[in-house]
């Protein structure tokens, strides 16, 4: 039913938007071939760009007696001018000693250029206008030569880029501190540095008709489920849009249930997290221009796992993981339960606590629901302001938040003190499970309204509804609640608890189909050394 | 366009209406509740009416207790609670009368004690007690008492430790030390005793004492009911006999003198079993077996209880003391014709056929029954020290 409505709404909204769009594309036929005449080619290339000032065309002539005229096309700022000077222009101008120019065939000329003259690492041939545009607009140099109906695209990307920094969203105490950058090649290199295996496959494609954003599909061949790879490819291919500016665009185009509060595609800015995901048989999607790499399938329990879980020893991490589940329950249910208990089920409160709560509510002008709603709204406003505001203002913000909202509201008698505690613990618990932050914020409000209307009964209805929804959700064919529902004992080693690494013998079932074994069952080294020392003792 | 919009609107409206039908009818804010902590029921002024006293907690603002309502206040200078009394023909109609004088809805889910006045208990409490079982807010784990005198007086005593008298009475009962003298009777226990055909109900007696002008309350034995009416009382000593068999005895001491040495043994747990013995179909006797664990906690005298023969002597004396307690109580209650130990039900369980005949004249039989009591106490320790503080030659 939900899906039906989504479709209806989507149709109505898009119908109006798509009424008229005159074709204003200056590039009439992108797949047109290059001509043999250099001046024609230059004309056809310059015209669609509107003679943009950053597109540099360097015309020159080379060969014996400088008879061959040619042109380099590149974008100022994207291409590395040092490489252009040193490795392209210099050899062509001073070393080009082409034999038998007139009689030389086209292929022979190109071969000679490639083999003897151009000292750049990557040389491609472009036959259509489209390919030429792709080449120089993404930072390469296009070399057009008079008399050739194709262009050489020489790689010399060299734009300014941010260096690898620390992840801002996923900070760790222990573990690598590098994070992805906006540059796709840096990002794929970071992944490859973690997994030095020929089976690590990186497939590239360009998405977005206008932005032509480079998107890489990364998986480990033989580990990732081939059906899963096919599904992801199919969904990526079906994306039909003019722009991909961030991986979030792709996430929203290919996710299983766009109508759900719960994300079914994960993201991370840490290469070690992505590598671990790949090794579990997931697929990563790296998008140019963003440090956030997508992973699919994404399951509910992944929100409760962190990279550090596997770097620290298992026992404390198991406790922390349970705490994360508790925190999620608190952040979703605490306000709702507080409202339900204080307005419907006072018999559930221990008598002495009831006195404290009742005396705190004495003189509060609003009903408990409204009181709670105001506080939650205030918290969300403060949080949003904290994210948006410029850093120097941050301090003023926290003072206003802590003093005015917490202290003054209570002493002025607008809000009861227990409500401040409930909303505070709710607010703090959100940040324990940052991956489910968005869904928990929505659920919290829904449960709050339900509990205000129907008390504990309402919370139960909401809970059942949420559970039904969650168990119906799928992420790329894998049940969203796996391995909790459907329950799977062998995969539970990494769900509610974090089993010791020597117990984690297999990859999770949903993703990896073929190569499920991670390693042989491992005898803890302590026993080995014990045997060893016993042997030694026996010898002596 | 129109059709889907209509459909959407209908869906939204239906959902909204569904939510509205659930309503907020049960919703009550905390500051609209009068939290009842104790209920006292006395005989009302015109005969046949009852006077109900409710003790409502006055939570005040932030526990300061400064703000209080101008409601009827009988109690005291300290305003953590106030008592209010109304008369009526039954409890519910009386409670509805409170709504004429109290601005808040009386909330019974946190009620701690139900106290019946002595006069009312003599008239009978069976019909009144129905309310405490049936009312949706009332709980089964509320302590039941009978007041010596008026229940309202008990509720008026200024508490010593707690803020509210009812809470103090409740914590008095939940304290396990000396539990042999305080039979704990909850609403559920009292109700199951009332409903039994032959067994008698008991409830602890609570009395108000005055000393140096200050009032305080204390447990003064046990009230014995027969078919819902108060028929007699057990003194604190006699209450022990009841508790050894039926009660939950934790941390209760037995003081005995063995060869001029006063020794105190604390009983930490006990088990009891009543087995009826029928001979020739009509002579009834009961075997009561009690096994208890305890340890020596104090002694005044030179006897060395680390010696096994002395310990055996002590054990024998303790067992005898408990046996005495039990037999005294059984004799007294059987003379009253009140079967507080549920002897009848034990026969019913074991000899259902014979019971049909016995049931007719059960009260007569009760007066003639014989009881064999065997008590075995295991004394497990002697506290932190072993031998008494006497030189060896004096022991």
């Amino acid at each position: 039913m939900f899906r039906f409505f989504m479709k209806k709404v989507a149709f109505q909204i898009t119908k109006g938007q798509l009424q008229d769009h005159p074709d204003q594309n200056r590039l009439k036929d992108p797949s047109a071939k290059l001509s043999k005449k250099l001046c024609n080619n230059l004309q056809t290339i310059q015209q669609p760009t509107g003679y943009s000032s950053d597109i540099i065309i360097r015309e020159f002539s080379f060969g014996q007696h400088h008879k061959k005229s040619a042109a380099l096309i590149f974008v100022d700022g994207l291409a590395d001018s040092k490489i252009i000077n040193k490795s392209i222009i210099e050899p062509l101008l001073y070393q080009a000693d082409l034999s038998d120019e007139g009689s030389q065939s086209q292929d022979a000329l190109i071969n000679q250029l490639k083999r003897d003259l151009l000292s750049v690492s990557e040389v491609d041939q472009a036959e259509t206008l489209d390919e030429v545009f792709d080449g120089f607009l993404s930072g390469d140099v296009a070399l057009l030569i008079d008399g050739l109906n194709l262009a050489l695209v020489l790689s010399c990307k060299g734009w300014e880029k941010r260096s690898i920094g620390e992840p801002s969203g996923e900070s760790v105490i222990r573990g690598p501190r590098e994070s992805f950058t906006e540059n796709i090649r840096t990002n794929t290199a970071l992944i490859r540095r973690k997994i030095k295996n020929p089976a690590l496959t990186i497939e590239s494609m360009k998405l977005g008709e206008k932005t032509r954003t480079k998107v890489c599909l990364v998986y480990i061949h033989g580990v990732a489920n081939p059906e899963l790879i096919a599904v992801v490819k199919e969904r990526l291919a079906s994306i039909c849009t003019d722009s991909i500016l961030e991986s979030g665009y792709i996430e929203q185009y290919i996710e299983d249930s766009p109508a759900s509060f719960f994300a079914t595609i994960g993201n991370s800015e840490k290469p070690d997290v992505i590598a671990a995901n790949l090794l579990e048989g997931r697929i990563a999607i790296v998008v140019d221009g963003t440090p956030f790499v997508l992973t699919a399938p994404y399951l509910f329990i992944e929100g409760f796992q962190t990279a550090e879980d596997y770097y620290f020893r298992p026992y404390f991490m198991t406790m922390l993981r349970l705490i994360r589940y508790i925190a999620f329950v608190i952040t979703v249910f605490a306000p709702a339960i507080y409202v339900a208990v204080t307005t419907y089920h006072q018999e559930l409160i221990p008598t002495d606590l009831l006195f404290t709560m009742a005396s705190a509510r004495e003189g509060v002008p609003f009903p408990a629901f409204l009181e709670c709603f105001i506080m939650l709204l205030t918290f969300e406003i403060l949080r949003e302001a904290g994210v948006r505001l410029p850093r120097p203002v941050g301090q003023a913000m926290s003072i206003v938040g802590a003093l005015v909202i917490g202290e003054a509201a209570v002493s002025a008698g607008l809000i009861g003190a227990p409500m401040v505690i409930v909303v505070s613990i709710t607010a703090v618990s959100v940040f324990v499970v940052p991956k489910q932050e968005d869904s928990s914020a929505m659920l919290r409000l829904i449960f709050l309204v339900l509990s205000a209307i129907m008390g504990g009964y309402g919370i139960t209805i909401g809970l059942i509804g949420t559970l039904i929804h969650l168990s119906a959700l799928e992420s790329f064919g894998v049940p969203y609640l796996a391995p909790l529902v459907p329950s799977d004992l062998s995969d539970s080693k990494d769900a509610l608890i974090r089993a010791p690494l020597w117990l984690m013998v297999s990859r999770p079932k949903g993703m990896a189909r073929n190569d499920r074994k991670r390693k042989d069952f491992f005898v803890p080294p302590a026993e080995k050394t014990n045997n060893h020392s016993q042997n030694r003792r026996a010898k002596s | 366009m129109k059709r889907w919009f209509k459909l959407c609107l209908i869906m939204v409206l239906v959902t909204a209406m569904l939510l509205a039908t659930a309503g907020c009818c049960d919703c009550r804010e905390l500051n609209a509740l009068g939290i009842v902590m104790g209920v006292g029921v006395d005989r009302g002024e015109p005969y046949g009416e009852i006077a109900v006293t409710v003790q409502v907690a006055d939570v005040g603002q932030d526990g300061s207790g400064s703000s209080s309502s101008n409601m009827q206040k009988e109690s005291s200078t300290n305003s953590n609670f106030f008592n209010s009394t109304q008369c009526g023909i039954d409890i519910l109609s009386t409670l509805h009368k409170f709504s004429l004088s109290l601005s808040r809805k009386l909330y019974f889910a946190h009620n701690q004690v139900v106290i019946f006045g002595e006069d009312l208990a003599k008239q009978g409490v069976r019909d009144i007690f129905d309310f405490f079982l049936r009312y949706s807010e009332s709980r089964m784990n509320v302590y039941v008492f009978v007041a010596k005198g008026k229940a309202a007086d008990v509720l008026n005593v200024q508490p010593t430790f707690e803020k509210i008298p009812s809470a103090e009475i409740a914590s008095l009962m939940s304290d396990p030390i000396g539990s042999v003298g305080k039979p704990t009777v909850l609403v559920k226990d009292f109700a199951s005793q009332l409903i039994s055909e032959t067994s008698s109900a008991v409830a602890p007696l609570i009395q108000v004492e005055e000393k140096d002008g200050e009032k305080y309350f204390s447990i003064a034995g046990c009230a014995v009911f027969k078919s819902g009416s108060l028929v007699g009382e057990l003194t604190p000593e006699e209450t022990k006999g009841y508790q050894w068999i039926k009660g939950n005895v934790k941390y209760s001491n037995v003081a005995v003198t063995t060869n001029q040495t006063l020794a105190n043994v604390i009983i930490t747990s006990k088990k009891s079993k009543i087995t009826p013995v029928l001979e020739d179909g009509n002579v009834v006797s009961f075997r009561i077996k009690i096994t208890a664990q305890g340890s020596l906690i104090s002694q005044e005298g030179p006897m060395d209880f680390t010696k096994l023969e002395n310990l055996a002597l002590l054990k024998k004396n303790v067992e005898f003391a408990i046996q005495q307690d039990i037999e005294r109580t059984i004799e007294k209650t059987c003379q009253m014709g009140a079967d507080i130990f549920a002897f009848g039900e034990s026969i019913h369980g074991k000899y259902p056929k014979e019971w049909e005949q016995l049931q007719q004249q059960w009260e007569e039989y009760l007066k003639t029954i014989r009881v064999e009591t065997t008590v075995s106490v295991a004394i497990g320790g002697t506290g932190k020290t072993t031998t008494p503080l006497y030189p060896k030659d004096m022991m």
Side-chain angles (χ1 to χ4, degrees), chain A residues 31-50:
Chain A
S31 58
K33 298 254 176 191
L34 289 168
S35 81
K36 284 209 169 194
K37 286 224 170 191
L38 179 65
C39 51
N40 285 0
N41 283 339
L42 288 180
Q43 186 67 28
T44 46
I45 287 169
Q46 267 183 308
Q47 200 257 328
T49 63

Side-chain angles (χ1 to χ4, degrees), chain A residues 245-309:
Chain A
L245 293 180
E246 215 268 345
S247 53
Y249 281 47
I250 292 189
E251 176 182 349
Q252 289 165 61
Y253 284 129
I254 68 171
E255 69 186 339
D256 284 66
S257 37
S260 173
F261 295 144
F262 294 92
T264 48
I265 292 180
N267 65 68
S268 175
E269 47 178 336
K270 280 170 61 62
D272 54 326
V273 173
I274 298 298
N277 275 324
L278 291 173
L279 287 166
E280 282 196 341
R282 289 191 178 81
I283 286 179
I285 301 169
V286 192
V287 180
D288 196 16
T290 174
F292 292 93
V293 175
L294 303 178
T295 57
Y298 182 74
L299 308 181
F300 184 67
I301 56 159
E302 282 179 61
F304 302 90
Q305 300 169 336
T306 67
E308 278 169 309
D309 284 4

